[in-house]
Amino acid sequence: MPSKSPVIIDLKFIPREVEDGLKGAFAGREVINLADPAHKGRDLSGIDYAVVWKSAPDLFSRAPDLKVVFSGGAGVDHVLTLPGLPDVPLVRFVDRSLTTRMSEWVVMNCLLHLRQHRAYEARAKAHVWEDLSQPEAAEITVGVMGLGILGQDAIRKLGVMGFKTIGWSRSKKEIDGVETFAGDELDVFLARTDFLVGLLPLTDETRGIFNAAVFSKLRRGSPLGAPVFINGGRGGSQVEADILAALQSGVLGGASLDVFEQEPLAKDSPFWDMDNVYVTPHVAASSDVKALFSHVEQQINRLESGLSLQHLVDRKAGY
């Protein structure tokens, strides 16, 4: 019986989490964790599989014989732009835990804005006891842009909390009980939206899509005043100068940003200190490392058993 191909691991995650996640993973197969100095300069030819997230720029020249590349996250734009990416199947990470984490982040931020948490925090620090006029979730329409697995799960869970929800995607998607829009129906969708949630993949069509023109078309007259922008998708989909201008002018009443055009976010970015902005460091849907390795194992086992790979990326579409 032929020996099993090793697996290359090149993940810019928390090192201890990767090490812990590898315990018991890939049984009977050598694991080459490139974070281990022991593998520096190692010959990686003849190896079939690599799991990557912001991998080294020379990875693919060092590993010229890869048969499959696995993304360490749901997004793949970081992989598609890597130098020397071979023309082999690219598999994105799809897992219940990743989906649930994103929905938790989306719901949490919608609730933070709905319940005016920052305003109450400021009053608490000043020892001020004051009730603010409080709308309920049913008075707010959350519009989700991006109706893949993450977007559809977020919509379901927002509905459980009582929010009205609508969705937009490039191509038409049908979701039971939810009004959806597609393509050139974007303006109609925006005019109905109080909280705009971005869960789009990064493609040529979505780069910079969250801009001044989009923010100006969001619904006015929300019970909270101005609309809110919440982006857990990709930093390249937003124009940060436009977000800042919209917040300063009142076109946007608040924002929650987990992703940025350049990461990490610069220490002098005004977003850090704005009272109406929540900043998180690209952790909305941090990959569960053990779940990631289990997913990769399942896909490798499928391939080596003669079955087709799942969750393949369409390189032309970008996701």
Side-chain angles (χ1 to χ4, degrees), residues 106-137:
V106 169
V107 172
M108 175 184 72
N109 279 280
C110 286
L111 289 172
L112 286 171
H113 290 285
L114 172 72
R115 299 309 297 263
Q116 302 168 85
H117 189 67
R118 276 284 167 79
Y120 281 119
E121 278 187 322
R123 283 160 176 75
K125 288 180 180 178
H127 300 185
V128 172
W129 183 279
E130 181 185 6
D131 187 12
L132 301 174
S133 177
Q134 182 64 66
E136 64 173 320

Side-chain angles (χ1 to χ4, degrees), residues 9 13-14 24 30-31 41 44 52 76 79 87 94 100-101 110 118 134 147 153 165 190 200 246 278 281 305 315:
I9 306 296
F13 290 172
I14 298 171
E30 183 187 6
V31 175
L44 301 178
V52 304
V76 295
V79 182
D87 186 17
V94 175
T100 296
R101 288 168 188 238
C110 286
R118 276 284 167 79
Q134 182 64 66
L147 298 179
D153 191 69
T165 56
L190 293 171
L200 290 166
Y278 293 96
S305 298
R315 295 199 186 194

Side-chain angles (χ1 to χ4, degrees), residues 38-299:
H39 296 302
K40 184 177 181 180
R42 174 170 171 168
D43 179 11
L44 301 178
S45 60
I47 296 174
D48 294 347
Y49 311 115
V51 188
V52 304
W53 181 261
K54 300 182 179 177
S55 59
D58 64 347
L59 172 63
F60 299 124
S61 61
R62 291 178 61 195
D65 303 313
L66 292 172
K67 293 181 179 176
V68 186
V69 175
F70 296 91
S71 172
V76 295
D77 48 284
H78 69 99
V79 182
L80 292 171
T81 57
L82 287 173
L85 177 66
D87 186 17
V88 300
L90 174 58
V91 178
R92 60 191 174 90
F93 180 32
V94 175
D95 180 74
R96 177 205 57 79
S97 67
L98 187 148
T99 302
T100 296
R101 288 168 188 238
M102 178 60 81
S103 294
E104 289 171 352
W105 186 87
V106 169
V107 172
M108 175 184 72
N109 279 280
C110 286
L111 289 172
L112 286 171
H113 290 285
L114 172 72
R115 299 309 297 263
Q116 302 168 85
H117 189 67
R118 276 284 167 79
Y120 281 119
E121 278 187 322
R123 283 160 176 75
K125 288 180 180 178
H127 300 185
V128 172
W129 183 279
E130 181 185 6
D131 187 12
L132 301 174
S133 177
Q134 182 64 66
E136 64 173 320
E139 298 175 63
I140 301 294
T141 296
V142 181
V144 177
M145 289 182 68
L147 298 179
I149 293 171
L150 300 181
Q152 292 192 36
D153 191 69
I155 280 178
R156 283 192 293 270
K157 289 170 181 172
L158 287 164
V160 170
M161 296 306 303
F163 289 99
K164 290 184 286 189
T165 56
I166 56 177
W168 179 92
S169 55
R170 188 181 68 166
S171 56
K172 186 68 173 177
K173 298 285 179 65
E174 299 293 339
I175 304 174
D176 287 347
V178 177
E179 188 174 4
T180 59
F181 302 82
D184 59 7
E185 299 173 317
L186 180 58
D187 286 0
V188 179
F189 162 85
L190 293 171
R192 298 262 303 277
T193 295
D194 298 311
F195 289 3
L196 177 63
V197 174
L199 292 176
L200 290 166
L202 186 60
T203 67
D204 290 342
E205 290 75 23
T206 64
R207 187 173 298 278
I209 194 171
F210 298 117
N211 55 34
V214 161
F215 302 142
S216 70
K217 294 172 183 175
L218 293 169
R219 189 172 90 89
R220 318 313 298 180
S222 157
L224 292 171
V228 169
F229 175 53
I230 298 170
N231 193 10
R234 314 306 293 172
S237 66
Q238 65 193 24
V239 179
E240 286 163 22
D242 289 2
I243 297 172
L244 182 61
L247 289 164
Q248 291 172 333
S249 68
V251 170
L252 288 175
S256 291
L257 304 173
D258 183 61
V259 291
F260 299 89
E261 293 177 68
Q262 297 293 325
E263 295 180 358
L265 182 62
K267 291 185 181 296
D268 62 353
S269 170
F271 290 131
W272 291 112
D273 300 312
M274 298 182 76
D275 290 339
N276 55 350
V277 177
Y278 293 96
V279 169
T280 49
H282 203 146
V283 295
S286 293
S287 295
D288 180 316
V289 181
K290 290 184 178 180
L292 168 63
F293 294 150
S294 176
H295 155 82
V296 173
E297 281 190 281
Q298 290 170 11
Q299 296 304 312

Side-chain angles (χ1 to χ4, degrees), residues 5-17:
S5 170
V7 178
I8 299 166
I9 306 296
D10 194 0
L11 298 168
K12 300 305 185 287
F13 290 172
I14 298 171
R16 184 182 297 275
E17 289 190 358

